Every structure is written in structure tokens, then in C-alpha cells.
Amino acid sequence: MAELPMHYETRYAWQGEAAKGLVSIAGHADLAVGTPHDLDRYSPEHLLVATAEICLANYVLLIAGLSQLDVKAYRSSAEGELEQEPKAGYRFKRILIRPEITVDSGAEAMAERVLDKAHRACLIARSLSCPVDMEPVVHGQ
């Protein structure tokens, strides 16, 4: 584990048109960002939902490895629901993640425990003020 506190740096550059910009992270490809209405760019809202989804996946795979659970397949979908609060504006009401994991037949209960532990451990979900819920599906093969 890296030494704490850890720091994450990003850079944003506006591209001179509407809300179109580029996010740069050292050592990574630039990410074209904009509003939810820019079909050729990622919006902060989509990235927030994706961040919660990716974080859960990372923890599931980490905890599965530590638990010696052989994950055959993992995929998920996620959605975020916005609400408008009077006098406060828009905010996320909820993020729902639907992970689907495939494990060996007989290991389904362990997979459910791993999913639950990962959900509780997810750094991003614990850092958000809205609830991050999970509707998992476990398949045995």
C-alpha cells in the first residue's frame, strides 16, 4: 500500500467552446469532458456514477482474490438518480449498481459475502453523501 495520505491530481483545460474541456492525468490519455448533453464527451454526472461502479468492481475483485474465490466473470451496470432540492439545486438522490458475478457452482454464498464486504468497503461509496445501493446477481457454473 502506498504511503498515506495519498494524493490524486487532475488538470482541466477548457477548449473554448461551450462546456467542452479536457481532463489530464499524468501518465494517462486525456479525457474529453462536457455536459450530459454532449454526446461525444463524458459528463461529470456519468463519471461520478461510473466511479462508484468501478470502485465496487475493484473491491469485489480484490476481496475475491484475498478470499481465494475464483471469479469466472464480472460485469455490472449502474445508474444515478438526480433530484432537485428546493433552494439548493440538483443533487444525486441515489446511485444503484447491479453487479453480476459468475463463480464455480457451490461458491455462490461466498460470492455473496464478497459482494457485501466490497459494497461496505468501497471508498467512493463511503465518500458520497447520497446512498449507493447494490442489486447483485450471482451465477454458479
Side-chain angles (χ1 to χ4, degrees):
M1 182 75 165
E3 191 173 318
L4 296 175
M6 295 174 70
H7 297 274
Y8 298 89
E9 289 186 30
T10 63
R11 301 209 185 294
Y12 174 87
W14 179 55
Q15 294 187 297
E17 178 187 345
K20 294 183 177 186
L22 285 178
V23 170
S24 300
I25 300 169
H28 297 274
D30 287 347
L31 183 63
V33 295
T35 72
H37 310 289
D38 294 322
L39 298 179
D40 62 335
R41 296 176 174 269
Y42 296 98
S43 72
E45 295 84 356
H46 285 109
L47 292 172
L48 179 67
V49 173
T51 299
E53 183 179 13
I54 294 163
C55 184
L56 177 64
N58 287 347
Y59 273 97
V60 166
L61 297 170
L62 172 69
I63 294 169
L66 293 172
S67 303
Q68 298 181 7
L69 175 66
D70 186 17
V71 176
K72 303 296 184 186
Y74 181 95
R75 65 180 175 194
S76 61
S77 63
E79 60 185 79
E81 181 181 352
L82 286 179
E83 67 181 355
Q84 187 171 17
E85 290 186 343
K87 300 181 183 177
Y90 289 100
R91 69 180 302 266
F92 274 92
K93 178 180 179 180
R94 173 187 188 212
I95 294 174
L96 174 62
I97 305 170
R98 293 182 181 96
E100 190 172 337
I101 188 170
T102 303
V103 296
D104 288 325
S105 216
E108 295 91 346
M110 179 185 266
E112 289 172 6
R113 287 191 302 275
V114 165
L115 282 159
D116 182 62
K117 192 172 190 176
H119 183 242
R120 287 183 281 114
C122 178
L123 164 71
I124 301 301
R126 290 184 296 110
S127 298
L128 295 173
S129 63
C130 71
V132 178
D133 298 322
M134 180 178 70
E135 293 178 355
V137 175
V138 177
H139 301 285
Q141 70 173 34

